[in-house]
Amino acid sequence: MYRTHTCDELRMENIGQEVTLSGWLQASRDFGGMTFIDLRDRYGITQLVFNMEDDQDLCAQARKLGREFVLRISGSVRERSNKNPNRSTGNVEIVVTEMEVLNASKTPPFTIADETDGGEDLRMKYRYLDLRRTPVQQNIIFRSKLALETRKYLSDQNFVEVETPFLIKSTPEGARDFVVPSRMNTGQFYALPQSPQTFKQILMVAGMDRYFQIVKCFRDEDLRADRQPEFTQIDCEMAFVTQEDILNTFEGLTKHLFKHTLDVELGDFPRMSYDEAMLRYGSDKPDLRFGMEFVELNDVAKEKGFSVFDNSELVVGICAEGQAESYSNKDIKKLTEWMQRPQIGAKGLVYVKVGADGIKSSVGKFFSEEQLQVWVEKFGAKPGDLLLVLSGEIDKTRKQLGELRLEMGRRMDLMKDGDFKPLWVLDFPLLEWDEDSNRFHAMHHPFTAPKKEDVDRMLNGDHETMKNLRADAYDLVLNGSEIGGGSIRIHDRDLQSRNFDLLGFTKEEAEAQFGFLMGAFEYGAPPHGGIAFGFDRLCAVMNGQSSIRDFIAFPKNNQGRDMMIDAPAPVAEEQLVELGIDLVKEVIE
Ligand code: ASP
């Protein structure tokens, strides 16, 4: 028998019992006559004692053991003389009478403790050691619980879990596909799904009514801190529903998950249109843990003789409460430079400091104190507040100010852990005009339906009209992260075909890529819609963490590499020949 208890089970009531534990050596302390070992498993840590007087050989053996050795011990439980109140087993220890070393361990390349000294790539290379650390282990356990609660809730709501294939044809979700060569069809390729979008819609045509899947999706994108080439979605679709039904069902799911994993009760989720979110926060995923809403100044800042503002579409600012004193001219200069970095691209930054004895501003030469006082009133600012103002083209300026708002929120420590602010963002535009490629893109994806009242305009309107079509498309935002997104879909062949036209597909291209879906729509497709949650991100945001990596057992690094198995890697010549892609290789060489 390897164990009678886990390393987190023994308490005062076990005193006197003979027990057997197995686990890893976390730490050992040698006091001459006595040696202490902390034995760890997934559940916790239990202290072991080896007594020189009781058994010299055993004690000598214990002293030689290194960190991460795997042990099985037996002994009797006794009360500890100096208790450790920070540990659940801290009242007791085991006086060891028997020990077997189940396996030795090399000295680990980094400390296996809550705080580790291991760098990111080293931790990934030795992921099996990293996963022994409690915080990482807890994340993975949390993830498992979240998946379980998701299944419970959705199956209670009559959703059926259906697996869709991984070897498919491209789905256009806006990223590049990972492709897989086909041996049996030389020169042809499968694509890994960016999402099961078309399959779940087909399942609705098939009468499945309510579908879900906790599913891997693959997108070949340049990686950022919170992106992974393979990630997991809670993917869902429902037939015979309106947007309202979907919002209610998945608000319910989110509340259920918070209640049953974190014991947090979320109130009803506020809703905001896309336009309103852009107007008030310069973002379609505003972090509502703090205010700092935009105040537009066009009517009081333009046509006062300051040409920068006069030549701008929009003058808009935020009020950083109580920050006037904290920002010297040098600090403002630094903040301005931060805003001017190419990632943000602001041209400049205007400040107004509201003081008890007057107003100071970088545009003081152009505006009188009375004029600036009008700004202050618009902001409802008080002495001590700092106004930060940007100007320029409407969309760009709002986005830039949105970044500044977040940065100020961070600096002022306004985003508190454990504070959860969900938000539905609704009424996204259907299409987005892209100046560079001179064509429309689907804001969500090409299967999203326009709002009912916009269908006519979509079928018959001119180019300009298309820019103003709205969709029943929605995002669920949590603390400034988009954790879910979906839409009511087109279920009519002609409308779907019109959408492909608008997106620049020729009839042949649309037919070749999506003929199967449009064909299915001709056999009694029900009205339907759905949503997908970013499962990894949901885990991270619920735990107040910014990176999804530590919620994925075996993640890839920033270069898309798995450091442990060292992938991707070249394959043998014979494999290429067999796949019929040796020719490609010859061309490259
Ligand atoms: N397939 C979409 C996505 O991956 C979600 C949806 O529309 O249901 O974002």
Side-chain angles (χ1 to χ4, degrees):
M1 200 198 339
Y2 283 111
R3 54 188 172 191
T4 53
H5 297 79
T6 70
C7 293
D8 189 38
E9 265 188 276
L10 299 174
R11 302 284 186 275
M12 291 292 267
E13 52 270 27
N14 300 101
I15 285 170
Q17 287 177 12
E18 292 296 318
V19 297
T20 301
L21 300 189
S22 289
W24 287 264
L25 188 154
Q26 170 79 23
S28 65
R29 296 171 296 279
D30 188 9
F31 294 107
M34 271 207 246
T35 296
F36 293 95
I37 285 179
D38 285 341
L39 193 69
R40 182 198 74 234
D41 64 10
R42 193 186 104 194
Y43 309 93
I45 290 179
T46 299
Q47 174 163 294
L48 315 178
V49 206
F50 297 82
N51 215 326
M52 206 58 162
E53 279 174 16
D54 297 345
D55 189 333
Q56 269 199 4
D57 289 348
L58 194 62
C59 204
Q61 200 192 348
R63 278 184 195 171
K64 281 193 274 179
L65 304 175
R67 276 193 287 147
E68 300 307 312
F69 272 53
V70 189
L71 312 176
R72 174 175 61 181
I73 60 92
S74 297
S76 60
V77 184
R78 79 171 181 205
E79 185 171 358
R80 259 169 87 158
S81 53
N82 62 333
K83 300 197 168 57
N84 180 352
N86 299 320
R87 202 176 269 174
S88 51
T89 61
N91 287 338
V92 297
E93 61 194 6
I94 301 175
V95 186
V96 178
T97 49
E98 235 181 90
M99 175 169 75
E100 184 185 353
V101 176
L102 298 173
N103 214 339
S105 172
K106 291 208 240 173
T107 306
F110 51 85
T111 320
I112 298 177
D114 290 5
E115 297 291 335
T116 180
D117 49 359
E120 187 87 4
D121 273 359
L122 196 65
R123 288 176 47 207
M124 294 303 154
K125 179 165 182 205
Y126 297 95
R127 188 61 165 169
Y128 43 89
L129 297 180
D130 199 32
L131 283 167
R132 286 186 195 164
R133 295 171 49 230
T134 308
V136 190
Q137 216 164 59
Q138 288 309 316
N139 288 349
I140 302 300
I141 293 167
F142 177 87
R143 183 187 175 105
S144 159
K145 209 167 160 198
L146 201 65
L148 190 68
E149 289 300 335
T150 301
R151 290 199 163 92
K152 270 195 211 162
Y153 176 88
L154 290 175
S155 58
D156 279 351
Q157 304 276 329
N158 268 333
F159 282 77
V160 180
E161 188 165 15
V162 183
E163 286 165 280
T164 52
F166 279 172
L167 296 176
I168 65 162
K169 215 162 60 166
S170 278
T171 43
E173 306 260 356
R176 282 189 205 91
D177 287 318
F178 282 101
V179 294
V180 180
S182 162
R183 180 181 57 79
M184 288 192 287
N185 304 272
T186 313
Q188 298 193 0
F189 297 82
Y190 299 101
L192 301 179
Q194 293 185 31
S195 88
Q197 184 62 36
T198 52
F199 287 95
K200 65 174 172 172
Q201 291 190 239
I202 294 277
L203 286 170
M204 294 306 105
V205 182
M208 199 47 75
D209 200 60
R210 292 182 165 204
Y211 142 93
F212 88 102
Q213 184 179 193
I214 299 181
V215 61
K216 273 287 175 75
C217 301
F218 306 85
R219 295 184 190 176
D220 188 5
E221 292 175 295
D222 296 331
L223 302 180
R224 287 190 254 125
D226 59 344
R227 287 266 169 95
Q228 285 280 313
E230 51 178 303
F231 61 97
T232 303
Q233 286 188 342
I234 308 172
D235 191 44
C236 309
E237 198 75 6
M238 305 167 84
F240 303 114
V241 285
T242 59
Q243 165 171 297
E244 195 57 37
D245 299 318
I246 296 186
L247 300 187
N248 289 332
T249 304
F250 291 96
E251 187 164 324
L253 169 66
T254 312
K255 285 178 181 168
H256 174 95
L257 295 178
F258 268 86
K259 174 87 193 92
H260 291 90
T261 57
L262 298 179
D263 199 21
V264 167
E265 301 267 3
L266 294 178
D268 289 342
F269 298 3
R271 299 175 180 193
M272 197 181 284
S273 73
Y274 169 85
D275 286 344
E276 191 184 344
M278 296 308 290
L279 189 81
R280 290 169 62 186
Y281 303 98
S283 165
D284 59 4
K285 44 178 173 137
D287 192 326
L288 296 191
R289 283 176 295 177
F290 65 105
M292 222 188 273
E293 286 190 31
F294 290 9
V295 174
E296 298 200 353
L297 298 172
N298 278 13
D299 55 337
V300 294
K302 283 173 69 134
E303 282 150 41
K304 299 281 190 278
F306 182 47
S307 64
V308 175
F309 285 177
D310 291 347
N311 297 328
S312 295
E313 271 179 3
L314 178 68
V315 183
V316 60
I318 49 173
C319 172
E321 281 178 38
Q323 296 299 300
E325 291 294 307
S326 326
Y327 279 79
S328 65
N329 287 348
K330 210 169 129 199
D331 296 328
I332 298 269
K333 191 163 164 259
K334 274 205 197 133
L335 189 61
T336 309
E337 284 163 6
W338 186 87
M339 289 295 290
Q340 288 170 329
R341 291 170 314 142
Q343 296 94 307
I344 300 192
K347 287 199 209 75
L349 176 66
V350 166
Y351 75 83
V352 176
K353 285 183 181 176
V354 189
D357 49 356
I359 293 175
K360 263 198 232 131
S361 169
S362 49
V363 291
K365 277 203 276 306
F366 303 95
F367 293 89
S368 67
E369 178 129 5
E370 291 76 59
Q371 284 173 327
L372 292 176
Q373 189 56 44
V374 178
W375 296 19
V376 171
E377 275 155 30
K378 274 206 122 181
F379 277 98
K382 310 172 299 305
D385 290 353
L386 172 69
L387 310 184
L388 297 166
V389 177
L390 294 181
S391 68
E393 192 253 314
I394 294 177
D395 292 348
K396 273 194 197 142
T397 307
R398 282 190 183 145
K399 283 189 188 141
Q400 291 162 354
L401 191 64
E403 294 292 339
L404 182 61
R405 173 180 174 271
L406 285 178
E407 176 65 13
M408 294 310 289
R410 274 189 286 271
R411 292 182 182 199
M412 292 162 68
D413 198 18
L414 300 175
M415 298 138 157
K416 296 287 184 212
D417 274 355
D419 184 14
F420 295 105
K421 287 284 156 26
L423 168 73
W424 286 111
V425 179
L426 309 174
D427 305 338
F428 277 82
L430 181 73
L431 302 167
E432 193 178 24
W433 180 252
D434 182 39
E435 294 290 346
D436 298 334
S437 58
N438 214 23
R439 60 187 201 87
F440 281 114
H441 286 295
M443 187 96 173
H444 185 49
H445 53 52
F447 315 106
T448 297
K451 283 189 172 293
K452 268 212 173 86
E453 59 268 28
D454 281 357
V455 171
D456 261 357
R457 293 201 300 147
M458 178 171 167
L459 287 171
N460 304 308
D462 61 8
H463 183 86
E464 277 313 297
T465 309
M466 298 309 142
K467 293 186 182 166
N468 298 318
L469 300 174
R470 297 286 133 171
D472 276 334
Y474 31 81
D475 274 356
L476 181 56
V477 175
L478 182 59
N479 294 359
S481 286
E482 181 206 321
I483 57 159
S487 58
I488 296 296
R489 326 297 185 188
I490 297 172
H491 64 280
D492 168 81
R493 177 173 186 123
D494 293 339
L495 196 59
Q496 185 65 68
S497 170
R498 167 73 174 159
N499 206 22
F500 285 134
D501 288 347
L502 289 170
L503 294 170
F505 286 75
T506 64
K507 285 265 176 280
E508 293 71 36
E509 283 166 349
E511 191 56 41
Q513 284 191 51
F514 301 109
F516 69 96
L517 184 67
M518 289 190 287
F521 287 172
E522 291 179 299
Y523 287 94
H528 61 284
I531 193 168
F533 283 69
F535 188 63
D536 316 281
R537 194 169 305 170
L538 180 61
C539 288
V541 176
M542 286 180 82
N543 286 282
Q545 295 186 27
S546 57
S547 170
I548 63 175
R549 244 178 249 182
D550 279 342
F551 291 87
I552 298 175
F554 301 103
K556 310 246 183 311
N557 75 2
N558 272 345
Q559 282 73 50
R561 299 200 69 82
D562 183 316
M563 298 296 288
M564 186 180 74
I565 61 172
D566 197 20
V571 295
E573 196 74 37
E574 304 85 81
Q575 262 175 304
L576 292 178
V577 174
E578 202 172 46
L579 292 165
I581 51 178
D582 50 326
L583 297 174
V584 180
K585 201 173 163 235
E586 260 165 42
V587 172
I588 293 168
E589 282 166 2

